[in-house]
Amino acid sequence: MQYLLVAVVAGPLLGAAAALLPAPPGLKGKSPDQAVLRHGVTVTGVILLAAIVLAAGFDHDRPSRMQATTDISWIPALDVRVHLGVDGISLPLLLLTALLAFLCALHSYFKAPQGPSPKAFVALLLLLEAGTLATFAVLDLVLFFLAFETVLVPMYFLIARWGGEGRGAAAGKFILYTLLGSVIMLLGLLLVGIKAGTFDMVALAAGGGRGLTASVQVIAVLAIGLGLAVKTPMWPLHSWLPDAHTAAPTAGSVLLAGVLLKMGTYGFVRIALPIAPDGMRTLAPYLAAFAAAGILYGSLACLALALPPSARRSAAASPPGGAGSDLKRLIAYSSVGHMGFVLLGIATLTPTGVNAALFANIAHGLITGLLFFLVGALKDRYGTADLDTLAGATGAALYGRAPRLGALLAFAAVASLGLPGLAGFWGEMLALFAAFDPAEGLHRGAYLTFMAIGGLGTLLTAAYLLIVVRRVCMGGPRPAGEPELADVQPHELAAWTPLAALTVLAGLWPAVLLGLTDPAVQQLLAGGTQ
């Protein structure tokens, strides 16, 4: 198991290097481009299989214990170690990352990205997977920072070189925001490591903040939390996200929403909560306030994007950022609201709230990944993802023209709005329940207000997603002379079915995930002791 985890983390990195080498003559197939895209599918498939084997061998009776650990000295002078391990908190995120990376590689094989050489695309995709997997597996603060930063370069180039209109500005904003946040986060990590005398995350969590004064913990949480909040993204540090999603290729949008945003919230749970508990307790009400503001802002922004032009004019509402009603932009703003529920759960400092955050992380990755795949398919068919265009002259009545595509879009929308029985319900419901009864010492009146704002956000979410379904799936009839619209293709069905199936499974059987996370969360909040 120890070597299997190392292989899962290092495998994509080796695959990225191999992608840049010439393909052996017998493996080229029809063209070198096809060979390298097939290489991406093969490597990500092997990593997914290894992650599944790792999960099968995981001791589910003791999910709070770090398993498959590797602990090797790397920089003795600074006590920096190559320390890897998984528990009930990180294992689901590893599986989610491996799954989405494989589905993106599979999608790219059948729908080759428009842009420079596929060699570079596959290498960047694998490097992105390696950095994300490492972020969820490393147990050293320095290594966490290095893995956290590794993903920035491949995502920047995926947006800048294979993105759509406005890709240069979007990629620049993405790298600027995340780099600035990361520099401040590094200062916080160094402060913790130097003051505590170790960078080992397990030892720091077991200490529960011992050796760190209250003022040091507050400063550390402020610095570390700022970098994590940018990546999450937390309002008002979210403005890079809509542009990045709108410009990114489909695979980039799926990975950005599905796993990169989770790196920020994972950092709050793995680092800030157990290592600086006094600092988190001091700043938790402010984090909850920003989370509630993000829920409301994201929902209102999506509603402004979803409304028909006539309704927007009568309501004096305009799409945020002065942009058109792009469906990818709408889903990006919805992520601001959904991740607000994750942050609200964390800010309650209760096992219920943290479990809600971890569950909502996985649910958001599955559902939003599916939504970006579906919107990418719409854009391929219509040449645009603009909602006004899709619902206007083209007569995009998907139920009549492409019934399977329309049904999947409606399914993903109702899952995203939190329909009971699907994955999106549990995380948001549990986060609101935790806000009703926050940890001792937190102002209950303030958290009841945040809970009420979150409840309003769920109503607004239902409103804008149902408007989207009505406008796109129930539009007018197909104009005369317009060609038929291709329905779901076999390769699309192969890429989307796992996400839809897991969304149903997590919704009907939440104990599968909560049974993994709850013991680990209980131990984490108890200071690393049973």
Side-chain angles (χ1 to χ4, degrees), residues 164-449:
E165 184 180 354
R167 59 183 181 270
K173 183 181 286 189
F174 164 76
I175 201 73
L176 179 64
Y177 270 73
T178 49
L179 272 180
L180 287 176
S182 296
V183 169
I184 300 173
M185 182 178 74
L186 175 61
L187 297 177
L189 295 175
L190 292 175
L191 175 64
V192 169
I194 292 171
K195 290 292 186 179
T198 180
F199 290 99
D200 187 87
M201 292 159 64
V202 175
L204 288 166
R210 288 191 295 272
L212 301 175
T213 65
S215 58
V216 168
Q217 289 191 36
V218 170
I219 295 171
V221 171
L222 275 173
I224 297 170
L226 183 63
L228 298 174
V230 171
K231 186 65 71 72
T232 296
M234 181 184 77
W235 179 91
L237 304 174
H238 69 282
S239 60
W240 60 271
L241 184 70
D243 291 339
H245 270 310
T246 303
T250 297
S253 292
V254 170
L255 290 174
L256 179 58
V259 293
L260 263 68
L261 303 188
K262 314 305 176 284
M263 294 165 60
T265 51
Y266 173 78
F268 276 108
V269 174
R270 178 65 73 193
I271 298 174
L273 271 176
I275 294 176
D278 292 338
M280 276 297 294
R281 185 171 295 276
T282 300
L283 297 173
Y286 304 99
L287 179 62
F290 282 117
I295 293 171
L296 188 59
Y297 173 83
S299 301
L300 290 173
C302 289
L303 189 61
L305 286 164
L307 290 172
S310 58
R312 288 201 296 265
R313 285 193 295 269
S314 62
S318 60
S325 53
D326 191 286
L327 263 180
K328 293 182 74 175
R329 181 173 289 270
L330 184 147
I331 300 170
Y333 275 108
S334 76
S335 294
V336 176
H338 289 308
M339 299 310 289
F341 282 100
V342 175
L343 291 174
L344 180 60
I346 294 171
T348 65
L349 307 184
T350 62
T352 300
V354 178
N355 278 303
L358 295 172
F359 195 102
N361 261 345
I362 301 301
H364 180 265
L366 296 171
I367 297 168
T368 307
L370 178 58
L371 278 170
F372 275 117
F373 272 132
L374 292 166
V375 174
L378 278 176
K379 191 170 184 178
D380 290 338
R381 288 158 170 78
Y382 281 105
T384 180
D386 182 72
L387 181 57
D388 294 337
T389 303
L390 291 173
T394 54
L398 287 182
Y399 287 155
R401 302 187 61 196
R404 290 191 294 273
L405 183 58
L408 278 169
L409 181 61
F411 168 81
V414 297
S416 184
L417 64 82
L419 184 73
L422 299 176
F425 169 74
W426 293 106
E428 295 183 4
M429 186 274 290
L430 289 173
L432 295 177
F433 183 75
F436 181 78
D437 188 20
E440 185 178 353
L442 298 179
H443 194 284
R444 188 161 186 259
Y447 276 81
L448 289 176
T449 303

Side-chain angles (χ1 to χ4, degrees), residues 67-160:
Q67 303 180 34
T69 55
T70 297
D71 192 1
I72 303 171
S73 179
W74 181 34
I75 308 176
L78 299 176
D79 194 28
V80 176
R81 310 182 67 81
V82 179
H83 192 181
L84 305 177
V86 291
D87 63 356
I89 292 172
S90 54
L91 182 63
L93 291 166
L94 280 173
L95 289 169
L96 178 67
T97 300
L99 174 63
L100 289 179
F102 171 70
L103 296 181
C104 286
L106 184 66
H107 173 271
S108 301
Y109 177 77
F110 289 99
K111 182 65 179 178
Q114 299 297 316
S117 166
K119 274 181 174 289
F121 179 87
V122 171
L124 291 170
L125 189 69
L126 292 173
L127 180 60
L128 181 66
E129 182 184 20
T132 310
L133 289 170
T135 301
F136 298 136
V138 297
L139 298 172
D140 184 277
L141 291 179
V142 175
L143 284 185
F144 176 85
F145 176 78
L146 294 177
F148 196 87
E149 294 304 289
T150 297
V151 304
L152 301 185
V153 174
M155 182 54 70
Y156 170 82
F157 283 108
L158 285 174
I159 297 172

